[in-house]
Amino acid sequence: MKLPTDHANPLVRLLLSFWAPTTRTMRGWAMASVVVNAGIAVTGAGVRVTGSGLGCPTWPKCTPDSFLPAPHPEVSMISMFVEFGNRLLTFLVLAVGAVCVLAVLRMAPRRRSLLWLAALQPVGIVAQALWGGLVVSTMLNPFTVGMHFLISTGLIAACWMLYARSGEGDGPARRVVHRDLRRLGYALLAAVFALLVAGVVVSGTGPHSGDVMASRFDLDIEAVARLHADIVYIVVGLTFALLLALHVSKAPRPARRAALALLGVELAQGVIGYTQYFLAVPAVLVLLHVLGSTVVWIAALRVVTSLRERTPETVPAGHSPAEAAAAV
């Protein structure tokens, strides 16, 4: 028997993907939330490197008199449209988060473990929007700008956990590798987060402030860049050690593939980082480096979730009325 999500009309399939969710469609929406949250973090960096950080000089309005871009004597229209476009993306991210919540609520039986992870998304996105107002009101203070990015990493982590947990049961977590390897995975994740924080400090000290009126951290750029590089060596070393240990211990293939993928994106990110350093930090490479940072973070989260599993549900696959009906 075909499921409602097999409907020939793509619009109907889209609606049923969250109104009559299956495990596959729930995971699809969770992955969509990972992508859009990572995407808005990268486009936010694009606003900064194009010097459009104060393209909309007020918040929540774009200009003191209008919510929409309007001619302003002190701001170019291009910068205004760049910043306003990034603000509009918030509504897309919020919509995907709301769909994830609705999909979890429509699953039968309802899984509380997924509900709180899904609920974190709209709450976090609203908090991000309010923090964005603080970024504007502080004239792109590097601390508020940096926290804006780090909050995004927290949202991405919640979205990834929703994706991972959607494909698992609600039983106790069971490690699939040695206990020490799982601890090494957590240490690696902490090191990656420390690397992101160091990257934020470097960005807040470097040349791309987002606007000529923005302040910078009063730090030595060479010193913070070296610190950032040192943490890179630690992260790569931990990743290589974990990958080697997983291979020697004949760990499950998903765990080995996740660690190998993380090492690959770290090496690519390192090439971008050193290239931008020696080319005096061009804007395009800064944007690619921020994209690489989000990919490294997601890959590290994937490694951690690949080191354990949870007991699958005994309910028919998909946990939805549609699949239950199809199984009859």
Side-chain angles (χ1 to χ4, degrees):
M1 177 178 177
K2 287 188 175 182
L3 300 177
T5 46
D6 294 326
H7 199 282
N9 189 313
L11 180 59
V12 173
R13 286 203 306 272
L14 178 65
L15 294 174
L16 290 175
S17 67
F18 59 85
W19 192 251
T22 65
T23 298
R24 181 174 62 84
T25 61
M26 183 67 249
R27 281 169 65 83
W29 281 111
M31 179 53 69
S33 69
V34 173
V35 172
V36 295
N37 276 280
I40 199 168
V42 175
T43 59
V47 171
R48 180 169 57 85
V49 299
T50 57
S52 305
L54 293 176
C56 288
T58 61
W59 190 96
K61 292 182 177 181
C62 184
T63 67
D65 303 316
S66 175
F67 282 97
L68 301 175
H72 192 280
E74 299 177 359
V75 183
S76 76
M77 288 301 294
I78 293 178
S79 294
M80 191 173 291
F81 277 114
V82 170
E83 165 64 2
F84 183 73
N86 191 63
R87 291 188 183 187
L88 286 181
L89 287 178
T90 302
F91 294 99
L92 172 62
V93 180
L94 182 60
V96 174
V99 166
C100 286
V101 173
L102 181 58
V104 170
L105 290 174
R106 289 289 300 170
M107 294 186 81
R110 185 174 300 170
R111 299 177 59 189
R112 294 182 61 184
S113 60
L114 299 186
L115 184 56
W116 75 268
L117 284 170
L120 277 175
Q121 295 185 45
V123 172
I125 294 161
V126 171
Q128 267 286 62
L130 295 175
W131 191 270
L134 182 62
V135 171
V136 174
S137 65
T138 59
M139 304 292 288
L140 307 185
N141 179 280
F143 173 78
T144 59
V145 173
M147 282 300 300
H148 207 32
F149 177 77
L150 293 177
I151 293 171
S152 287
T153 65
L155 279 170
I156 291 170
C159 295
W160 178 263
M161 289 307 300
L162 177 63
Y163 171 77
R165 291 299 309 275
S166 295
E168 301 174 328
D170 287 326
R174 184 181 72 84
R175 55 185 172 84
V176 296
V177 297
H178 191 274
R179 175 185 58 201
D180 293 338
L181 293 185
R182 194 173 178 197
R183 290 172 177 170
L184 180 57
Y186 284 123
L188 172 59
L189 185 66
V192 171
F193 184 74
L195 179 61
L196 295 179
V197 173
V200 163
V201 175
V202 174
S203 295
T205 309
H208 298 287
S209 63
D211 191 90
V212 293
M213 299 177 64
S215 60
R216 301 274 79 197
F217 287 130
D218 186 19
L219 299 170
D220 178 24
I221 186 62
E222 293 284 343
V224 293
R226 289 195 190 96
L227 174 62
H228 183 61
D230 290 341
I231 300 176
V232 169
Y233 297 142
I234 293 173
V235 168
V236 173
L238 289 173
T239 304
F240 183 78
L242 179 61
L243 177 60
L244 182 62
L246 291 174
H247 179 75
V248 170
S249 64
K250 301 186 185 304
R253 187 177 181 185
R256 286 181 282 137
R257 292 180 66 180
L260 181 61
L262 174 59
L263 181 62
V265 295
E266 286 171 356
L267 294 177
Q269 176 74 332
V271 170
I272 296 172
Y274 275 106
T275 302
Q276 71 170 2
Y277 178 80
F278 288 114
L279 294 181
V281 201
V284 172
L285 290 184
V286 171
L287 193 60
L288 285 177
H289 202 54
V290 173
L291 173 61
S293 297
T294 59
V295 175
V296 167
W297 177 238
I298 294 169
L301 291 168
R302 180 189 175 199
V303 167
V304 170
T305 54
S306 72
L307 302 179
R308 92 288 184 274
E309 63 182 12
R310 290 179 182 270
T311 307
E313 292 290 294
T314 56
V315 180
H319 312 284
S320 76
E323 287 183 334
V328 174

